[in-house]
Amino acid sequence: MTHAMLKGSNVPLEATTVRAVLRWAPGQGVPVVDASALLLGPDGRVRSDEDFVFYNQPRHPSGKVWLLGKKRLAEGPTDTIQTDLAGVEPEVSQILLVASVDDTSVENATFGRVQGLCILLYDASVADGEPLVSFDITPQTGEETALICGELYRRGEGWKFRALGEGYAEGLQGLATDYGIVVDESDSAQSDSAQTPPQPEAASFPLPPEQPAAQSATSVPTQAAYGYPQPATPATAPVPAASGYGYPPPVAPVPTAAEFRMPPQGPQFIGR
């Protein structure tokens, strides 16, 4: 027989392995609901970020709390968390069962758009058994984006379940932060910077192929042989002044030893 619970009520649990199922009604514009869990110590806070079980970390390192995933049933879509209460570390005094809306599934995703939300607890050792308890969750304002549906907590040698239905407008991140989870926002900053490639400085731009660098001041242009046509010069290269016919060419700068070239010789220097 299923025990229907009211907000704030509690009930002892005889089962040692509990399956907590979040269920809601399907419909147009209804956001997807995600289940998660926070394992808290006696001070009411997580011991480390590993005590947060959610879609990006679906299994606790102890192996005693894990996500089973979503299903689409005739009664409505579900998301499920399973807990081996008998194996939970003694340092953990309570486990919060949380629901949050996926803000990427629809615009303005809040629990005001989710109808028929409830949490059902099953004895996981009994196949196809009836729920042990059920709790219908009604948001107080409709603006909530995360809800603590209930908590599993130690009482003596056993465990109990308390129905809560407490809402958060800051989403899953705001709820987790309140219980000691450190949210690293550097990933989003790195993602933004990665989308904008660094621009090179103007001084480091290489000249394009069609614009070769200017000729060095120390290089000596090649002169045409006396009395012969001058070779064609590229449009971009400086054109040396031609010498007058019958007159010696202008004196060129004296090249260094490594660059020494014989001066051009006209027909008058050719031996006969």
Side-chain angles (χ1 to χ4, degrees):
M1 180 178 176
T2 302
H3 182 76
M5 303 188 67
L6 300 175
K7 185 174 181 177
S9 61
N10 62 77
V11 62
L13 297 172
E14 300 296 334
T16 57
T17 304
V18 170
R19 188 167 67 249
V21 179
L22 284 173
R23 190 176 71 197
W24 62 98
Q28 184 70 27
V30 175
V32 173
V33 177
D34 295 318
S36 56
L38 288 162
L39 287 69
L40 309 181
D43 60 351
R45 296 174 66 82
V46 298
R47 299 164 297 171
S48 72
D49 290 356
E50 292 181 338
D51 284 341
F52 187 21
V53 178
F54 68 120
Y55 44 81
N56 281 343
Q57 186 170 264
R59 192 176 187 90
H60 190 263
S62 67
K64 304 304 179 182
V65 182
W66 65 97
L67 287 175
L68 289 179
K70 291 181 171 61
K71 289 185 179 180
R72 187 169 295 277
L73 306 177
E75 299 85 355
T78 66
D79 200 8
T80 303
I81 293 177
Q82 188 155 308
T83 305
D84 177 7
L85 294 175
V88 172
E89 301 154 293
E91 296 83 7
V92 176
S93 59
Q94 62 188 123
I95 300 171
L96 299 183
L97 303 175
V98 176
S100 60
V101 291
D102 179 1
D103 58 7
T104 64
S105 56
V106 297
E107 287 189 47
N108 303 318
T110 65
F111 275 105
R113 305 179 67 173
V114 180
Q115 302 298 315
L117 181 66
C118 66
I119 186 168
L120 307 165
L121 263 60
Y122 294 83
D123 183 345
S125 64
V126 179
D128 300 324
E130 292 292 320
L132 302 174
V133 300
S134 67
F135 172 45
D136 295 328
I137 306 166
T138 303
Q140 291 183 337
T141 67
E143 297 301 315
E144 296 90 346
T145 52
L147 292 165
I148 302 176
C149 303
E151 64 172 341
L152 302 167
Y153 63 99
R154 293 185 188 272
R155 184 61 73 221
E157 297 297 322
W159 288 82
K160 300 182 76 173
F161 173 76
R162 179 181 288 116
L164 292 176
E166 298 176 358
Y168 279 74
E170 297 82 9
L172 186 60
Q173 176 176 320
L175 186 155
T177 302
D178 280 357
Y179 287 93
I181 295 295
V182 178
V183 178
D184 185 6
E185 298 181 354
S186 63
D187 290 343
S188 59
Q190 293 175 0
S191 176
D192 293 340
S193 63
Q195 294 174 3
T196 306
Q199 297 296 326
E201 299 179 2
S204 64
F205 255 104
L207 290 174
E210 64 273 16
Q211 297 179 0
Q215 188 176 17
S216 170
T218 60
S219 62
V220 179
T222 303
Q223 297 180 359
Y226 181 86
Y228 289 88
Q230 184 173 349
T233 305
T236 57
V239 179
S243 61
Y245 182 83
Y247 290 89
V251 178
V254 178
T256 62
E259 300 174 329
F260 184 82
R261 300 178 184 177
M262 292 292 293
Q265 299 181 7
Q268 69 270 30
F269 296 107
I270 300 175
R272 294 179 182 271

